[in-house]
Amino acid sequence: MPRIINACKPVRAVTNRNRLMMSALRFAYIAGFALRIGDAFASAGADADAFAWYARAQGDGGDTAAALARGGALKRKIGDPSWVEDYQLVIARFPEHGVALSLIDELDAAGVPVSTYLRGVAEYRAGRDGAARATLARAAASGNHAAEAAYYMAAIDERAGGFSTAIDGYARAAALDPASA
């Protein structure tokens, strides 16, 4: 009898793994679905419903950056000035998100100032190393998150294979903010 019980353990393990994977897929599907429903309501001019679904997408653990950006775009369209705060929040919390640079461009076009440091981080995350280095150097020179800017410039050096330059840059970042070392 013990052999039969032990023989069933791998089957149970596979079944449990599959259930777990399906729950994760289901979770992601629901969150993505909420964004798409929000987009449909926004397209139909049902703004209140669109905002509710974008909020649900955030609450369901979905793509919070996309939901905030879409809600901000809708606010901008209807003339709600809080769109700026939504865009700035996305840029500050999710600089690596694909939408961050386009939001920076929209803020620039509207004459809304964007932190030089956050702009540089978004460029770095997008792999635009040349632009990121120049922007982060301006941020560091102005004292706008100088240690963090130095860190990202060192990371750019490391990504390019300049390891000794990167080590010097990381040391410079630590010297600017000893508490971070």
Side-chain angles (χ1 to χ4, degrees):
M1 193 69 162
R3 285 187 188 157
I4 293 174
I5 292 171
N6 287 336
C8 291
K9 285 183 182 179
V11 172
R12 274 193 228 132
V14 169
T15 301
N16 289 337
R17 181 203 65 203
N18 289 343
R19 284 184 186 149
L20 179 64
M21 288 174 54
M22 288 308 295
S23 69
L25 289 172
R26 187 173 149 260
F27 185 70
Y29 178 78
I30 290 169
F33 178 76
L35 277 176
R36 288 189 297 281
I37 294 294
D39 292 343
F41 277 119
S43 294
D47 300 338
D49 290 321
F51 287 127
W53 280 94
Y54 292 146
R56 182 172 180 179
Q58 294 175 55
D60 286 344
D63 187 345
T64 300
L68 281 168
R70 291 174 184 177
L74 185 54
K75 287 178 182 179
R76 184 176 188 193
K77 183 179 123 191
I78 64 174
D80 181 340
S82 69
W83 70 271
V84 170
E85 294 164 12
D86 289 352
Y87 280 19
Q88 289 172 332
L89 183 61
V90 172
I91 295 163
R93 287 184 48 204
F94 308 100
E96 73 285 353
H97 197 279
V99 75
L101 286 176
S102 64
L103 298 182
I104 289 171
D105 291 341
E106 288 186 50
L107 289 169
D108 286 345
V112 177
V114 176
S115 160
T116 307
Y117 166 72
L118 290 176
R119 180 186 306 272
V121 172
E123 290 168 341
Y124 167 80
R125 297 290 187 183
R128 298 179 181 175
D129 290 346
R133 177 182 299 286
T135 304
L136 291 164
R138 284 194 312 276
S142 70
N144 185 355
H145 297 274
E148 293 91 340
Y151 172 86
Y152 279 109
M153 288 188 287
I156 291 168
D157 291 331
E158 182 178 1
R159 191 176 352 199
F163 300 113
S164 61
T165 307
I167 290 169
D168 293 342
Y170 289 132
R172 195 169 32 262
L176 288 168
D177 183 8
S180 69

